[in-house]
Amino acid sequence: MKHVLEFEKPVIKLREEIEEAKKKLATKPSDKLAAQIADMEKKAESMLRDIHNNLNPWQRVQISRHTNRPFMLDYVKHCCEDFTELHGDRHIGDDHAMPAGFATWGGRRVVVIGHQKGRDTKENLLRNFGSAHPEGYRKALRLMRMAEKFGLPIVTLIDTPGAFPGIGAEERNIAEAIAFNLREMMTLRTPVVAVVIGEGGSGGALGIGIADRVLMMENAYYSVISPEGCAAILWKHREHAPEAAAALKLSAQDLSKLGIIDGVVPEPAGGAHNDHYVAAMALKDAVLNAIADLEKLSVSELLEARYQKFRALGKYTEN
């Protein structure tokens, strides 16, 4: 069954009526009915556009979690001419929540790393719901070092509610794995472009998010905590998640204004789940443009700009 968000239902209902009308038209042609269908299609497009232009932060969070939304490997399929996945962190094992490998992105050889979710129970169990283990972050860094060695740009696609908080992950030191990545990514001598394609949850996102260019899909979110987690702490109930989403300033639009991210990648009307290909082409172009800009810099300029970028984050006032 197709996943439909509450605010999408009026458009979905109208589209169902259009399909029924088209079936009638096919069996009994009528100029009047054809004109009605044309009017209904214009109305549906207008409704979708109005919804898309007036989304609040909580609605964007819901879209970012949509099960029909393109995931990391969907973008790889559309953006890359080839993808050779590599496995294992050379310490513990492989992590299916963090696919990574060599790819050709718009004619450019790159290393692609990202979080991968699943669309059904079986796939989600394989991908651990997009929550990576320590070996996922260690595998990611292993491939980043390979990219640095061969002079290849790195593209990371972030889509996780957060790193896996289970006992096994704690025993294998998930916090150290993420912290080590944060430090090491600051020193990589090759361009790094990170894109938040869905959920950007806390340290789980940051573990592959230290980049020269940090982009976000239009309906993604990036936050230190989920709206539900924030609501549970501040209001003692998850029902206040919409208020928390607004307060956290977690949308791409807010983070762009605050200077936390470097750009917003547009999505098709209604969200990327409505057209994977269009969303992927926008992402592909944004990444290629970012890589082209970064490759104009020398290694020393790249490292200094990256350092200054993260030093400049945050604002404060003095009394």
Side-chain angles (χ1 to χ4, degrees):
M1 183 178 177
K2 185 178 179 180
H3 180 204
V4 179
L5 300 172
E6 189 64 34
F7 55 87
E8 292 179 316
K9 286 182 178 178
V11 178
I12 298 300
K13 183 179 179 182
L14 182 55
R15 282 179 172 168
E16 289 173 351
E17 292 174 0
I18 292 171
E19 288 305 311
E20 287 297 320
K22 285 182 176 179
K23 290 178 183 177
K24 290 180 181 179
L25 184 64
T27 57
K28 191 177 181 180
S30 166
D31 291 341
K32 183 178 180 181
L33 183 56
Q36 288 177 345
I37 291 172
D39 289 340
M40 292 167 72
E41 287 178 334
K42 288 180 182 179
K43 184 179 179 181
E45 290 176 7
S46 178
M47 288 174 65
L48 186 63
R49 190 163 49 249
D50 288 343
I51 291 170
H52 184 72
N53 291 337
N54 294 285
L55 291 169
N56 61 44
W58 176 238
Q59 289 171 330
R60 292 190 189 277
V61 170
Q62 291 176 288
I63 292 176
S64 76
R65 297 169 174 170
H66 202 292
T67 55
N68 295 326
R69 191 174 176 82
F71 295 147
M72 181 260 188
L73 292 178
D74 295 316
Y75 282 115
V76 168
K77 179 179 70 175
H78 289 300
C79 296
C80 300
E81 290 81 62
D82 59 71
F83 176 61
T84 302
E85 186 174 356
L86 302 182
H87 300 273
D89 68 343
R90 301 300 186 265
H91 293 284
I92 298 294
D94 194 27
D95 186 355
H96 296 294
M98 185 86 78
F102 292 98
T104 303
W105 187 296
R108 298 299 313 275
R109 291 297 290 169
V110 300
V111 166
V112 180
I113 302 162
H115 302 99
Q116 174 68 20
K117 294 179 178 178
R119 288 199 167 84
D120 55 36
T121 302
K122 183 178 179 181
E123 192 177 0
N124 266 319
L125 289 173
L126 172 67
R127 302 295 182 180
N128 205 37
F129 296 86
S131 294
H133 295 79
E135 45 270 31
Y137 292 98
R138 292 177 179 132
K139 174 174 68 173
L141 185 59
R142 180 173 76 85
L143 266 72
M144 291 177 192
R145 288 299 186 201
M146 291 178 70
E148 180 183 49
K149 179 178 180 179
F150 296 120
L152 302 176
I154 299 164
V155 179
T156 68
L157 303 179
I158 298 166
D159 188 11
T160 180
F164 186 58
I167 292 174
E170 294 294 339
E171 289 174 342
R172 299 191 301 279
N173 213 338
I174 185 69
E176 184 272 345
I178 292 173
F180 192 72
N181 276 24
L182 301 185
R183 187 187 76 181
E184 295 301 298
M185 288 186 76
M186 284 297 298
T187 66
L188 290 170
R189 299 169 66 83
T190 194
V192 185
V193 179
V195 188
V196 184
I197 59 173
E199 293 188 272
S202 193
L206 280 177
I208 57 169
I210 304 302
D212 302 294
R213 294 288 184 274
V214 180
L215 310 175
M216 284 181 69
M217 297 301 291
E218 188 177 354
N219 293 308
Y221 84 85
Y222 201 17
S223 175
V224 297
I225 192 171
S226 69
E228 293 90 340
C230 177
I233 294 170
L234 297 183
W235 288 277
K236 311 302 180 186
H237 202 289
R238 292 163 62 95
E239 69 180 10
H240 292 281
E243 297 161 69
L248 285 166
K249 303 296 182 185
L250 46 64
S251 71
Q253 295 72 24
D254 285 330
L255 293 175
S256 181
K257 291 176 184 176
L258 292 170
I260 304 298
I261 63 171
D262 302 299
V264 180
V265 182
E267 297 184 20
H273 58 284
N274 285 304
D275 195 325
H276 287 198
Y277 180 77
V278 170
M281 291 304 100
L283 172 64
K284 181 178 182 179
D285 290 343
V287 168
L288 288 174
N289 289 338
I291 291 173
D293 287 342
L294 293 170
E295 288 187 330
K296 295 174 183 176
L297 304 176
S298 66
V299 172
S300 60
E301 289 172 333
L302 185 75
L303 292 173
E304 179 62 20
R306 188 186 302 158
Y307 175 78
Q308 293 300 336
K309 169 183 170 59
F310 285 93
R311 287 287 296 172
L313 294 183
K315 296 181 181 180
Y316 63 92
T317 57
E318 294 181 349
N319 295 324

